[in-house]
Amino acid sequence: MRTTERWFEDHEVGELRETTGRTITEADIVLHAGQTGDFFPHHMDAEWMATQPAGQRIAHGTLVLSVAVGMTAGDINPQSMSYGYDRIRFIRPVFIGDTLRVTAEIVALRPHATTPDAAGYIDELVTVRNQRGETVMVLTHVYLVNRRGVVAESPAA
């Protein structure tokens, strides 16, 4: 991980990032259930899920969301912060042993609603695919990013 300073003006629509793979394990599901208190049988009861259409336990949607967003977090940008997530959709189930890959593409640059000269929003479309190339989740990650020259910079040493 490294620190890279990028201002709002340094980004362009169409910029694309792709991750390597990450396999979802049973330990991921059990740990996430313990952290969130979501012990629904869809995630925890293999016998019951064997009688359901999916046929096996599925990962929590919030687990897949957390893993996917974490996979895209590579650099620290002091001029940017996560503002939140929009349009989160769980398209297909994720099973134990599935390997996820993530692409993140900038799809919009928008001025801040109240301080457009100081900051802007960057919308990044995040697409999560399994090892078969099937889309399992999509969302828009919204970043709040400072504009160059507005934030006071510290004097040179």
Side-chain angles (χ1 to χ4, degrees), residues 2-8 11 75-82 144-147 151:
R2 63 188 175 150
T3 300
T4 303
E5 199 162 356
R6 291 189 75 196
W7 303 83
F8 181 79
H11 297 82
D75 294 336
I76 299 167
N77 181 0
Q79 301 307 325
S80 175
M81 62 176 281
S82 179
L144 179 62
V145 184
N146 291 325
R147 286 188 176 271
V151 176

Side-chain angles (χ1 to χ4, degrees), residues 52-73:
Q52 300 303 306
Q56 59 184 305
R57 288 180 290 166
I58 59 176
H60 306 75
T62 51
L63 168 62
V64 176
L65 170 67
S66 299
V67 167
V69 170
M71 291 171 70
T72 67

Side-chain angles (χ1 to χ4, degrees), residues 7-69:
W7 303 83
F8 181 79
E9 295 82 0
D10 298 332
H11 297 82
E12 294 181 16
V13 171
E15 285 184 36
L16 184 70
R17 300 182 291 139
E18 297 178 313
T19 72
T20 57
R22 163 81 157 69
T23 302
I24 298 297
T25 67
E26 182 174 15
D28 292 324
I29 292 173
V30 172
L31 181 62
H32 191 76
Q35 291 173 327
T36 62
D38 181 350
F39 292 96
F40 268 70
H42 307 78
H43 318 296
M44 303 303 292
D45 188 337
E47 294 295 319
W48 184 76
M49 279 305 289
T51 68
Q52 300 303 306
Q56 59 184 305
R57 288 180 290 166
I58 59 176
H60 306 75
T62 51
L63 168 62
V64 176
L65 170 67
S66 299
V67 167
V69 170

Side-chain angles (χ1 to χ4, degrees), residues 53-144:
Q56 59 184 305
R57 288 180 290 166
I58 59 176
H60 306 75
T62 51
L63 168 62
V64 176
L65 170 67
S66 299
V67 167
V69 170
M71 291 171 70
T72 67
D75 294 336
I76 299 167
N77 181 0
Q79 301 307 325
S80 175
M81 62 176 281
S82 179
Y83 188 70
Y85 308 97
D86 287 340
R87 297 180 292 276
I88 300 167
R89 297 293 180 266
F90 307 128
I91 309 295
R92 285 184 169 36
V94 172
F95 302 109
I96 295 168
D98 278 356
T99 298
L100 306 178
R101 288 186 168 69
V102 181
T103 58
E105 179 180 7
I106 294 177
V107 294
L109 302 172
R110 301 178 285 123
H112 189 271
T114 57
T115 57
D117 294 334
Y121 299 107
I122 295 177
D123 295 339
E124 192 173 57
L125 176 63
V126 176
T127 304
V128 185
R129 293 183 177 86
N130 63 19
Q131 68 278 8
R132 292 177 295 282
E134 300 166 331
T135 299
V136 298
M137 175 182 284
V138 294
L139 61 105
T140 300
H141 192 169
V142 181
Y143 295 92
L144 179 62

